[in-house]
Amino acid sequence: MLNENNMAKILTLEILFEKWFQEKYQYASDGTKKQIRSLGENHILKDHRNVSIEVVDDLFAQQFLQILMSKPMRDRDRINTLGIFRDLCDYAVKKRKLPYNPFLELRLPAQSTKRHHALTEQEIRCILCLDPHKVEYVFFQIKLLTGTRTAECLGLCWHHVDFSAKTIQVCDQLQYLHAEGGRRTLGLSGHLKNFKPRVIRPPELTFDLLKVRLEDQKEGGSTGEEGVPDYIFT
């Protein structure tokens, strides 16, 4: 095991990593230790095991970031790997092996999380040929007219719709929620984009479609309090 006496001989990232790992994760769970060591071995030490600590500067940090971004790995693993190197350099600064931490202000480039899927001609024809009274038809039309996300559209309730003012309040998402006992249940969550509810004013056709949907629900017996169903699409 490394100690303070041989810290003066630390010259490589491999030795520094081992000392840092022993001190910081001494009492961590086996799962955490395995994860940190795996990221360190595969994405830091694999290519920089024998790199001298003295060369870890701003240029080195930028080059490491470029290599990290080019690797086929999950974004979460990239973030954790960069965090490990940042902590490692903090440790080196405290031990006076580095004059400053070149990873301190380094961040991963912003990446779009959007996944665009253009509908095929066959999918478009299937939607257009649906019965206007089918919930699938109304759902696709409302999404198109309101610009809401799937979870937001599924979370729409009738009390969100103001037929007289021609407005719809988007304030919830229908998604899986963690319940007691580790089980997951469907429920409303207020986590929206920018964490803010919004009021939208879609075209007139939107409310014509919603009126048809409301009547269909009432005829089908899907009603809540006072004979009005809760969710629009579920």
Side-chain angles (χ1 to χ4, degrees):
M1 179 179 292
L2 298 175
N3 53 48
E4 293 299 326
N5 292 329
N6 59 23
M7 274 294 291
K9 300 179 182 179
I10 290 180
L11 297 174
T12 66
L13 286 177
E14 181 180 23
I15 301 176
L16 181 66
F17 180 88
E18 290 299 329
K19 179 63 179 179
W20 165 81
F21 183 84
Q22 290 170 13
E23 289 192 11
K24 183 166 184 176
Y25 293 98
Q26 180 179 0
Y27 301 106
S29 66
D30 291 341
T32 298
K33 289 180 179 178
K34 184 178 179 180
Q35 180 188 23
I36 298 300
R37 182 167 288 282
S38 175
L39 290 174
E41 288 286 346
N42 294 327
H43 305 300
I44 297 178
L45 299 182
K46 184 177 181 180
D47 299 321
H48 307 93
R49 187 177 305 276
N50 297 317
V51 170
S52 171
I53 300 171
E54 297 178 355
V55 305
V56 179
D57 54 13
D58 292 330
L59 179 59
F60 177 92
Q62 290 294 338
Q63 291 175 341
F64 177 83
L65 182 60
Q66 291 177 6
I67 295 174
L68 191 64
M69 293 302 299
S70 67
K71 290 186 175 183
M73 55 192 296
R74 297 181 301 177
D75 289 342
R76 183 173 61 181
D77 288 340
R78 285 195 182 92
I79 294 172
N80 290 338
T81 300
L82 192 62
I84 290 173
F85 219 141
R86 187 180 296 117
D87 286 352
L88 191 61
C89 289
D90 270 342
Y91 178 78
V93 171
K94 292 178 182 178
K95 296 298 181 178
R96 298 182 180 180
K97 300 302 176 182
L98 279 178
Y100 68 97
N101 186 347
F103 284 82
L104 190 60
E105 302 297 331
L106 202 62
R107 298 292 183 271
L108 291 173
Q111 290 183 308
S112 174
T113 58
K114 295 182 180 179
R115 299 292 184 267
H116 298 285
H117 168 65
L119 294 176
T120 64
E121 182 178 351
Q122 183 179 2
E123 290 172 330
I124 294 173
R125 289 182 182 276
C126 288
I127 294 173
L128 294 177
C129 291
L130 286 173
D131 185 341
H133 288 277
K134 283 189 173 293
V135 63
E136 293 88 351
Y137 176 86
V138 182
F139 179 76
F140 281 117
Q141 291 289 348
I142 296 302
K143 270 180 58 66
L144 177 65
L145 293 167
T146 61
T148 52
R149 297 162 180 81
T150 299
E152 292 174 345
C153 199
L154 289 173
L156 289 177
C157 298
W158 286 110
H159 65 266
H160 296 150
V161 181
D162 189 332
F163 285 100
S164 59
K166 306 296 182 185
T167 60
I168 299 176
Q169 185 180 20
V170 183
C171 55
D172 290 305
Q173 290 189 118
L174 186 67
Q175 61 184 29
Y176 281 108
L177 303 176
H178 290 284
E180 294 183 2
R183 295 177 300 174
R184 296 197 306 169
T185 58
L186 277 175
L188 291 178
S189 170
H191 294 293
L192 301 174
K193 184 180 181 182
N194 300 327
F195 303 99
K196 294 180 181 179
R198 62 188 187 278
V199 176
I200 57 178
R201 299 179 182 274
E204 183 80 20
L205 176 60
T206 306
F207 299 95
D208 294 337
L209 290 167
L210 288 175
K211 288 178 181 178
V212 173
R213 173 62 183 158
L214 181 57
E215 292 302 318
D216 288 343
Q217 279 188 316
K218 288 181 178 179
E219 291 179 5
S222 177
T223 58
E225 296 182 2
E226 301 179 356
V228 178
D230 296 324
Y231 295 102
I232 297 177
F233 296 110
T234 54

